[in-house]
Amino acid sequence: MLHRADQDVAWWLEAAGGATRSDHAGAAVLELACGTGRLTHALAGAGLAVVGLDNDQVMLAAAAHRPRRTWPIFVAGDMRRFALHHRFALVFVGYNSLQLLTTPSEMTACLRLAREHLVPGGRVGVEVSDFQIGGADGPHNEPDAHDAPDAPDNQDNVGNPELLGDAEGIRLAGSLVHDLGARTSRYRRHFSGEGWTVADEIVVRSLDRPELEGLFRAAGLTGVKWWVDGATVRALAAP
Ligand SMILES: C[S@@+](CC[C@H](N)C(=O)[O-])C[C@H]1O[C@@H](n2cnc3c(N)ncnc32)[C@H](O)[C@@H]1O
């Protein structure tokens, strides 16, 4: 969660504003792909009954380890295929996490399930970003090309330790290699601290507002509230 300054918390709090604050009425908000519970805990701290779902046990363990009262509670599950008994006033996927599902059919499956878990009048919420604005196509047909010592010209540097700074002693450097046709980008990350470094690579699918509108339609949803800031879009959708 490096460099996320919790600027989204207020937005999700407002989005959940209509949700019940009573512990007795059951859970009011479901966060899919909740990670370490950055948002889940913030919403619970504001008095909301919140459930966080993630498919990574290590993330869930970190989330559950943070101080909490009755809420939030955390459940293990895959956002592409989950079934909970509760129905919620708000089901949301924050911080670009929907984009870890790299095909429209997987993203639609997730949004459809989110819709099916709503109480009448409930909303589905999403934050997505377009990582490819101004980007050039990368060497995606040559799997090893990105490991060449000379970075290709069409590799966007999205950060280095100087640009991204550090948080809690951890530095992040990264680069994106785009496949503009597939709308996917390989995000290569190097995390480092005192005497250690960890590198990994994830694939994210870019989404802009029209694409998100298309996914909403496919999932039986209609956008009812939009917030756009540069490449980032937040939306609430209703069935
Ligand atoms: C960037 S983190 C998001 C953290 C959190 N949403 C936040 O804003 O702080 C992405 C999370 O998505 C989770 N994730 C990825 N694929 C998933 C899936 N298919 N089902 C559930 N969680 C998934 C990962 O385990 C990871 O915890």
Side-chain angles (χ1 to χ4, degrees):
M1 296 301 101
L2 281 170
H3 316 297
R4 168 75 23 163
D6 291 344
Q7 62 272 54
D8 48 353
V9 170
W11 205 86
W12 291 118
L13 265 178
E14 193 185 327
T20 175
R21 286 169 187 268
S22 159
D23 282 3
H24 307 295
V29 178
L30 171 63
E31 184 190 1
L32 302 174
C34 63
T36 57
R38 180 183 64 88
L39 290 165
T40 337
H41 279 281
L43 295 180
L48 290 160
V50 191
V51 174
L53 178 146
D54 202 282
N55 70 347
D56 186 320
Q57 294 288 353
V58 176
M59 298 295 253
L60 286 173
H65 192 67
R66 295 161 97 166
R68 68 195 159 109
R69 300 177 122 155
T70 312
W71 305 100
I73 61 170
F74 294 98
V75 296
D78 189 318
M79 63 178 154
R80 295 165 295 184
R81 50 184 90 91
F82 63 93
L84 304 178
H85 290 297
H86 273 300
R87 293 295 174 265
F88 302 84
L90 173 67
V91 180
F92 78 101
V93 199
Y95 198 10
N96 308 323
S97 302
L98 183 68
Q99 299 171 256
L100 296 170
L101 309 180
T102 50
T103 66
S105 63
E106 288 193 330
M107 293 189 285
T108 302
C110 173
L111 293 174
R112 196 173 287 137
L113 282 174
R115 190 200 74 210
E116 288 169 6
H117 281 77
L118 294 178
V119 295
R123 298 283 184 265
V124 172
V126 185
E127 178 187 308
V128 296
S129 297
D130 188 342
F131 302 104
Q132 298 190 338
I133 292 177
D137 224 1
H140 45 85
N141 292 325
E142 305 159 48
D144 295 321
H146 65 277
D147 287 331
D150 296 316
D153 289 343
N154 50 7
Q155 176 169 306
D156 284 351
N157 284 323
V158 295
N160 58 44
E162 288 73 44
L163 281 176
L164 292 178
D166 62 58
E168 295 174 18
I170 301 173
R171 289 185 302 171
L172 169 64
S175 59
L176 283 169
V177 179
H178 303 305
D179 180 338
L180 299 183
R183 288 288 272 156
T184 54
S185 304
R186 270 201 315 261
Y187 183 14
R188 300 171 62 214
R189 306 180 294 190
H190 288 261
F191 300 90
S192 58
E194 250 336 282
W196 62 269
T197 173
V198 173
D200 74 357
E201 185 175 301
I202 58 171
V203 176
V204 288
R205 188 183 175 99
S206 277
L207 285 176
D208 58 19
R209 177 173 169 163
E211 288 166 315
L212 185 56
E213 281 172 326
L215 291 176
F216 280 158
R217 261 194 308 280
L221 293 161
T222 308
V224 292
K225 181 177 176 186
W226 294 91
W227 173 93
V228 182
D229 183 15
T232 299
V233 178
R234 286 186 205 126
L236 290 181

